[in-house]
Amino acid sequence: MRNTNTGYKPLLWILVIPVLNIFYGILNHGGPNVVSLTTDLDERIPFVPAFIIPYLIWYPFILAMLIVFFIKMRRVYYQTLITLCLGLVACYITYYFYQTVIIRPTITGDGFINWLVSLVYSDNPYNCFPSIHVLTSYLMLKGMSDCTTLSKTSRLLIFITSWTIIISTLFVKQHFLLDIAGAILLAEVLYFVVGKLLPVQAESKQSVVTDREENSMIGDVIEIKGDKVV
């Protein structure tokens, strides 16, 4: 009897993400050619510590969404996960050749919210363009749009959560507007390319399965006819 647990093995591909994230720490430092992409509009955006909550929700949200896509629509799971991994690689290559930095505000006062902000700020303020938070959150929106089995309520919750996370990167002063724009553009291009490649592979595998099923059916018919002749 086939073990039903083997059907969940493709979820293990999610482990590629933390492996790739090793490079985030390696690249998260300054250098002689570090630039800032701040604009006048960025300077007008206020610092709102409360947005650290949706900023941190990003971690379980991405994992949960990949699992949902896996359960609801396997093709969307693969397309989103592959795009995410390729996006991480593209981000790390960009950080290596074009490192950017953001100047964070000074945290004053106590309280749980300020403590969370200080915890996030303990990381170096580099690896800004493009934003990985925005890249991955936007990919959940792309996956949601293709996952036709999701309910309207689920779509609304995913939409609100994704965009709140994206906006939070501005209000907690972790990214600039250009970081967001670059991440969305990268997500759009990679998701489109991966989507064009996946159907070809899927159709190819499906045709093999169909041929095998057809040959099996023909064999069964021949066997039945043979039994009747006997």
Side-chain angles (χ1 to χ4, degrees):
M1 183 176 178
R2 184 179 178 182
N3 188 354
T4 56
N5 291 332
T6 58
Y8 293 95
K9 283 186 176 180
L11 282 172
L12 294 176
W13 286 112
I14 295 177
L15 296 177
V16 174
I17 298 175
V19 173
L20 289 174
N21 281 340
I22 294 174
F23 292 97
Y24 184 91
I26 295 175
L27 296 168
N28 192 18
H29 59 79
N33 299 315
V34 177
V35 298
S36 174
L37 299 179
T38 183
T39 64
D40 292 337
L41 187 55
D42 288 301
E43 298 295 335
R44 297 178 183 177
I45 298 176
F47 171 58
V48 184
F51 271 93
I52 199 65
I53 300 298
Y55 184 85
L56 291 175
I57 286 176
W58 170 78
Y59 294 94
F61 174 69
I62 298 301
L63 175 61
M65 285 307 306
L66 289 174
I67 295 175
V68 168
F69 290 152
F70 177 82
I71 295 172
K72 292 290 187 179
M73 206 165 185
R74 196 67 58 90
R75 181 186 174 280
V76 173
Y77 165 73
Y78 283 117
Q79 184 174 355
T80 306
L81 180 58
I82 292 173
T83 305
L84 193 156
C85 292
L86 291 176
L88 289 178
V89 172
C91 286
Y92 297 146
I93 292 175
T94 305
Y95 300 158
Y96 180 80
F97 289 103
Y98 189 72
Q99 184 61 280
T100 56
V101 65
I102 186 169
I103 305 301
R104 297 162 171 168
T106 302
I107 305 301
T108 58
D110 301 322
F112 180 67
I113 295 296
N114 286 335
W115 177 79
L116 288 177
V117 176
S118 298
L119 182 64
V120 171
Y121 281 10
S122 63
D123 193 16
N124 291 331
Y126 303 99
N127 293 352
C128 298
F129 176 86
S131 166
I132 292 178
H133 257 68
V134 175
L135 169 75
T136 50
S137 298
Y138 190 79
L139 282 178
M140 299 309 111
L141 292 172
K142 298 296 293 182
M144 177 199 71
S145 64
D146 287 342
C147 192
T148 56
T149 56
L150 288 172
S151 66
K152 291 183 178 179
T153 302
S154 297
R155 290 176 180 276
L156 179 61
L157 290 175
I158 295 169
F159 181 87
I160 294 175
T161 303
S162 295
W163 278 111
T164 303
I165 292 173
I166 291 173
I167 294 172
S168 74
T169 64
L170 295 172
F171 286 112
V172 296
K173 298 301 177 178
Q174 281 290 87
H175 288 285
F176 295 127
L177 289 167
L178 289 177
D179 300 334
I180 293 179
I184 291 177
L185 178 61
L186 178 62
E188 285 283 359
V189 171
L190 289 179
Y191 193 84
F192 175 80
V193 173
V194 173
K196 287 296 183 180
L197 295 178
L198 270 184
V200 176
Q201 297 175 355
E203 290 172 3
S204 176
K205 291 180 180 179
Q206 183 64 36
S207 63
V208 172
V209 173
T210 303
D211 291 341
R212 288 178 180 175
E213 292 178 348
E214 183 177 354
N215 291 335
S216 177
M217 292 174 61
I218 293 174
D220 292 341
V221 172
I222 294 175
E223 183 178 351
I224 292 174
K225 288 184 177 181
D227 291 339
K228 288 182 178 180
V229 172
V230 174

